[in-house]
Amino acid sequence: MLLRAASGHRRWTLRLLLALGTSGGPACGTTSEPPRDGTARMTDTLKVLIARALAAPMSNIFLNRARADTIQAIMARQTGPDARLSRYSLAQERLRAGQTREAIDDLQALMQAAGISPDQITPDTKPLFDLLAIAWLRLGEQENCLANPGANVCILPLDGSGRHKREEGARRAIAQLGALLARFPEDHGSRWLLNVAYMSVGEYPTRVPRRFLIPGLVPRPDATFPRFPNVANDLGIAVNNRAGGLSIEDFNRDGFLDLFMTSWGLNDPSHLFLADGHGGYVDRTAEAGLSGIVGGLNTLHADYDNDGYEDILVLRGAWMGDAGAFPNSLLHNRGDGTFADVTFSSGLLSFHPTQTGAWADFNLDGHLDLFIGNESAAPEGGTSRRSELWLNNRDGTFTEVSRQVGIDLDEFVKGVVWGDVNNDGLPDLFVSILFGRNRLYLNQGGQSITTWRFEEHGREAGVQLPLASFPAWFWDFDQDGWEDLLVLSYDNRHSTSLHEAVAREYLGLPLETEQAGRPLAVEPSRLFRNKGDGRFADVTRQAGLYDKVLFVMGSNFGDLDNDGWLDFYLGTGNPDLRSVIPNRMFRSLEGRRFEEVTLPGGFGHIQKGHATAFTDLDRDGDEDIYMVVGGAFEGDGFANVLFENPGWRNRTWIALELEGRTANRSAIGARVDLTVMESGGKTRTLRRTIGTGGSFGAGSLQLHVGLGRGTRVKQLRIVWPDGARSTTSYSDLAVNRVYHIVQGEPPVVLERPPVVFRRSLTLPAAGKHDHD
């Protein structure tokens, strides 16, 4: 089968295939006949690895169509209980593969063969009925939401275009879930899904049986926060795929922000959408030379070679264990609208499952280095896959130096971010480890790479929790000049009861309960305030984030309302198809606490949320939010969303494009302080750090800062990330302007007039909101 899959490839591909055999990953340098360029070489490598994976699908739980075929072939040779067990497994795989009617037929045939009537719901048969209920609900989603990805589809409260026109799936789900609750009235997970099913046919809350109603799933009538319309479908950028990465940047340097996104399926294509300058986007993936660049759960971008064009890193293999031993891709931006995969020539080639990395100039030599957090199974007795710190050699190549500088990390890493936690000018490294103590590596500096050292201070700093952690980021949420840290929980010890935990939160029930001898507690996320003395204070409770079921994947932060305080959006869920829960938006209340604006703002999308970015795509002075949507299984795809910011009439802003000289050209790590003059003579200071945001989703390196009621920027101070900590200051900058600042030179105002999104005639353009 492998040889048939490889037929037609170049001789190099066949030789690589033979070299792979059944080993855990390809060996570098197995051929003396590489293709003519790095992109072709990577494309061929990925084809071979994908063929090998499809030849043994049972080793990868996410290859659902191939697994279903394998199970069906096995079942043909079985009888009796073995055949029934295989049919149940087949139904599971078909449901995960999106073959929903076939899965329903399998389940009904299995019940008939086993003599199980619809009213025989017992603890032993409940999993069968649970699966049938979610199958009917999924059918409704496929026939309505996926078939017609309109503005409000799958966004609570499922009104207007979000309601199902083909009601069979939802009606059957309501009947099945009602039967389950009649037998198990404390099944809050089924209760949650029942409320969602009623909502999908426009009967929430009035027709929901009172004893099973979950209130609060619609905005309050007195809500004053404006709704952010989803305009992705109107703009042609509602890519329908699975979980994936996102980088938003002006990749062709024409003054308009573009979008690059991936999907994590082994053979899922990437997409490059270039802004056309007239409010629309054009898919230029093929023209950019990216057609064979497939897969990847996350992406990062930065100008690693200081040529003035942002490059892209694609990270692959996450969650797949040894089956995820795929190479990452470093895509060099040629500056002419095309990209070249330079992974092989740059020295970055390795074969480890990962989805997290971060760029920073850790040794302050003016060139960006790269840390990649790999998913090692060594703590559980499996394959060791140490994380990697790649030193930029300043000639387009990298050298791995992690253990040389004191970072010996062999853990299941899910998030990495750089930040200067002690304000000494050296970027420090935080590592989020799933079910392990998180690490904080303080950068101690050195005279050269041979003397450079990092020291681990996670315990001393008090940032080792949560144990079940995933995405993270540094930010100065309280604007006091010290980088704080948000670490978000992903407690998948309870992955099959996530929807139940969310239901308990909405019902005001305790989360710390037990069911069937297992805890239902979901570990809280952690907001750490930097105390300025090397330690952090856990302020999660004070900030209003402790008693929240924040089961977080892709996420990021920005300023929703241009008030100068940083807000954040969380993509939630897990692979379980019952995890039909809303993504959640939180707005900062002057850096003291956070209020949820998920429902009034229209952000409560109930499909899985992944890579996220806050960016002013239409150049109108406020940040829009793009999110890659979709789950892990092959049939759990969905259309991506773009929430257009409706605007804030009485609030101002400023945007900065920084360009380093002795600092790295992307200016990643630059610290920016803005002293803002407000009406009445008052001043306030806002603080930001240049970067792409959190660890799962990458926004533009152009810095957007909401100024509230600011009338001018009295002083702008930039501390550049170079060895001298070069500082430049500028006075009396106008508001509502975009400035380009080259290190050491005066600011230049860029003419960047707004570009109204090109929308369908049925969807009115959002006007500026009057709310303050």
Side-chain angles (χ1 to χ4, degrees):
M1 181 174 181
L2 280 175
L3 288 176
R4 288 198 300 272
S7 66
H9 290 185
R10 285 187 288 272
R11 188 156 40 119
W12 178 86
T13 306
L14 291 171
R15 290 183 60 179
L16 175 60
L17 179 61
L18 293 172
L20 286 171
T22 58
S23 62
C28 302
T30 58
T31 176
S32 60
E33 298 180 46
R36 63 185 180 278
D37 60 57
T39 302
R41 189 176 181 184
M42 178 59 71
T43 299
D44 285 348
T45 300
L46 293 174
K47 286 179 180 178
V48 170
L49 292 171
I50 292 167
R52 185 182 67 173
L54 291 173
M58 303 311 289
S59 64
N60 187 329
I61 64 170
F62 303 109
L63 297 178
N64 308 110
R65 296 184 187 93
R67 287 167 66 92
D69 291 343
T70 300
I71 293 170
Q72 191 171 21
I74 294 172
M75 192 174 67
R77 303 189 298 270
Q78 295 176 322
T79 59
D82 289 341
R84 289 195 291 271
L85 183 60
S86 290
R87 184 171 291 278
Y88 180 76
S89 297
L90 177 62
Q92 281 186 312
E93 293 300 341
R94 283 179 165 170
L95 181 59
R96 292 169 176 174
Q99 300 165 345
T100 307
R101 283 209 178 267
E102 293 90 338
I104 291 171
D105 291 343
D106 284 330
L107 291 170
Q108 291 176 334
L110 176 58
M111 294 169 68
Q112 183 177 3
I116 302 173
S117 65
D119 59 350
Q120 287 182 304
I121 304 178
T122 68
D124 290 334
T125 63
K126 187 175 184 295
L128 184 63
F129 288 97
D130 284 337
L131 195 62
L132 185 58
I134 192 59
W136 284 119
L137 194 60
R138 286 290 299 166
L139 182 67
E141 290 177 342
Q142 287 176 312
E143 293 183 341
N144 294 273
C145 308
L146 284 170
N148 303 287
N152 298 323
V153 165
C154 273
I155 298 175
L156 296 180
L158 303 183
D159 54 5
S161 61
R163 293 180 182 173
H164 291 190
K165 293 180 174 58
R166 299 179 64 179
E167 296 187 356
E168 179 194 10
R171 294 292 179 192
R172 292 289 194 104
I174 288 171
Q176 189 66 64
L177 292 163
L180 281 163
L181 286 165
R183 177 66 177 84
F184 300 99
E186 297 303 311
D187 179 359
H188 296 299
S190 292
R191 182 174 177 179
W192 172 268
L193 296 176
L194 180 71
N195 280 257
V196 171
Y198 270 109
M199 186 178 290
S200 68
V201 293
E203 296 179 357
Y204 172 93
T206 55
R207 298 295 298 276
V208 183
R210 182 174 296 275
R211 66 184 295 210
F212 298 130
L213 176 66
I214 298 178
L217 300 186
V218 296
R220 289 168 38 196
D222 60 347
T224 58
F225 193 85
R227 189 176 183 90
F228 284 52
N230 171 25
V231 300
N233 195 52
D234 288 284
L235 300 180
I237 53 176
V239 175
N240 190 337
N241 224 319
R242 289 187 280 166
L246 170 69
S247 285
I248 298 181
E249 196 54 85
D250 182 4
F251 290 112
N252 57 0
R253 307 302 294 172
D254 65 352
F256 299 93
L257 293 173
D258 312 306
L259 300 97
F260 176 82
M261 62 199 74
T262 62
S263 177
W264 90 315
L266 301 186
N267 206 29
D268 289 349
S270 57
H271 291 274
L272 176 66
F273 288 96
L274 297 183
D276 64 8
H278 303 287
Y281 295 86
V282 181
D283 191 335
R284 289 287 184 250
T285 308
E287 293 84 346
L290 297 170
S291 296
I293 303 303
V294 296
L297 186 54
N298 198 10
T299 69
L300 315 166
H301 65 272
D303 184 3
Y304 78 90
D305 57 352
N306 288 342
D307 67 353
Y309 292 90
E310 266 65 42
D311 313 294
I312 302 172
L313 179 73
V314 179
L315 298 155
R316 297 189 178 96
W319 297 112
M320 298 180 190
D322 288 343
F326 273 67
N328 303 316
S329 277
L330 179 61
L331 306 176
H332 176 245
N333 188 342
R334 292 189 176 110
D336 61 358
T338 67
F339 289 79
D341 193 309
V342 296
T343 311
F344 291 87
S345 61
S346 69
L348 284 177
L349 183 69
S350 63
F351 294 84
H352 303 299
T354 181
Q355 59 101 87
T356 187
W359 295 98
D361 182 6
F362 80 83
N363 61 347
L364 304 181
D365 66 352
H367 290 74
L368 289 168
D369 312 298
L370 174 65
F371 187 86
I372 295 178
N374 293 319
E375 296 179 355
S376 177
E380 303 296 325
T383 304
S384 171
R385 300 188 183 277
R386 282 182 164 80
S387 294
E388 302 158 306
L389 176 60
W390 295 95
L391 173 71
N392 192 323
N393 296 325
R394 300 183 288 183
D395 60 359
T397 67
F398 294 81
T399 300
E400 208 287 306
V401 297
S402 58
R403 281 185 275 186
Q404 180 179 338
V405 299
I407 302 177
D408 188 0
L409 186 62
D410 198 8
E411 299 282 354
F412 197 91
V413 177
K414 292 307 299 178
V416 296
V417 283
W418 295 92
D420 184 3
V421 302
N422 50 13
N423 285 350
D424 65 354
L426 296 169
D428 309 300
L429 179 67
F430 177 79
V431 181
S432 170
I433 298 169
L434 187 63
F435 301 121
R437 297 289 177 179
N438 298 326
R439 311 289 177 86
L440 176 62
Y441 292 95
L442 294 183
N443 191 338
Q444 304 297 321
Q447 297 302 310
S448 68
I449 193 59
T450 59
T451 60
W452 214 277
R453 290 293 178 270
F454 286 82
E455 292 182 1
E456 206 284 305
H457 283 262
R459 182 178 61 81
E460 294 85 349
V463 295
Q464 292 185 314
L465 297 177
L467 284 177
S469 63
F470 190 167
W473 59 72
F474 284 109
W475 60 343
D476 189 356
F477 82 92
D478 56 0
Q479 304 291 298
D480 67 350
W482 296 89
E483 293 277 30
D484 309 302
L485 178 64
L486 181 64
V487 191
L488 295 155
S489 175
Y490 186 80
D491 197 346
N492 65 354
R493 289 172 295 186
H494 322 292
S495 61
T496 59
S497 57
L498 172 58
H499 56 314
E500 177 166 352
V502 172
R504 297 186 71 88
E505 179 190 338
Y506 273 84
L507 290 167
L509 298 174
L511 297 178
E512 298 179 358
T513 62
E514 291 193 4
Q515 176 178 307
R518 58 184 176 83
L520 279 179
V522 176
E523 188 179 13
S525 298
R526 303 285 175 167
L527 176 61
F528 295 109
R529 183 179 62 81
N530 193 330
K531 299 169 67 174
D533 61 358
R535 297 175 297 165
F536 289 76
D538 186 341
V539 295
T540 313
R541 286 187 185 275
Q542 299 93 305
L545 299 175
Y546 189 83
D547 295 317
K548 305 290 183 184
V549 179
L550 303 182
F551 205 85
V552 186
M553 302 181 296
S555 49
N556 222 321
F557 63 93
D559 187 353
L560 280 176
D561 49 7
N562 272 350
D563 67 351
W565 301 99
L566 293 171
D567 317 300
F568 62 96
Y569 189 38
L570 306 179
T572 65
N574 64 13
D576 187 357
L577 295 177
R578 292 174 295 177
S579 299
V580 185
I581 63 174
N583 301 316
R584 303 175 72 166
M585 181 72 82
F586 291 86
R587 177 194 190 189
S588 175
L589 299 179
E590 298 184 340
R592 297 190 303 270
R593 59 184 289 110
F594 293 87
E595 69 168 351
E596 186 163 5
V597 293
T598 298
L599 294 176
F603 301 111
H605 204 296
I606 56 176
Q607 298 298 319
K608 282 86 172 177
H610 286 87
T612 305
F614 285 66
T615 306
D616 184 7
L617 283 171
D618 53 0
R619 308 197 315 189
D620 64 351
D622 47 50
E623 291 192 293
D624 313 296
I625 300 98
Y626 192 93
M627 175 179 275
V628 175
V629 179
F633 295 127
E634 287 181 335
D636 198 12
F638 204 80
N640 297 343
V641 295
L642 170 61
F643 295 109
E644 181 185 9
N645 197 317
W648 307 83
R649 286 188 187 277
N650 300 314
R651 295 181 183 173
T652 59
W653 55 274
I654 193 171
L656 306 174
E657 290 186 355
L658 303 189
E659 185 176 323
R661 284 295 183 260
T662 55
N664 69 86
R665 189 151 180 172
S666 293
I668 289 175
R671 303 289 288 271
V672 178
D673 290 357
L674 304 98
T675 302
V676 181
M677 182 68 70
E678 298 180 325
S679 57
K682 293 183 179 179
T683 63
R684 63 186 293 206
T685 300
L686 301 175
R687 298 178 170 91
R688 298 288 189 272
T689 302
I690 300 297
T692 57
S695 64
F696 199 167
S700 174
L701 293 165
Q702 174 180 295
L703 178 65
H704 175 96
V705 184
L707 304 177
R709 297 183 181 275
T711 58
R712 63 188 174 93
V713 176
K714 184 178 180 181
Q715 184 182 59
L716 168 65
R717 180 174 181 265
I718 303 170
V719 181
W720 297 87
D722 59 14
R725 301 192 70 184
S726 303
T727 302
T728 52
S729 296
Y730 310 96
S731 300
D732 293 317
L733 300 184
V735 300
N736 299 342
R737 298 287 188 276
V738 180
Y739 291 91
H740 182 75
I741 303 177
V742 177
Q743 184 179 1
E745 299 180 13
V748 175
V749 177
L750 300 177
E751 294 300 325
R752 297 280 176 84
V755 179
V756 178
F757 285 141
R758 253 198 335 263
R759 309 153 70 100
S760 69
L761 296 178
T762 58
L763 187 62
K768 291 296 178 182
H769 190 60
D770 290 326
H771 175 69
D772 290 330

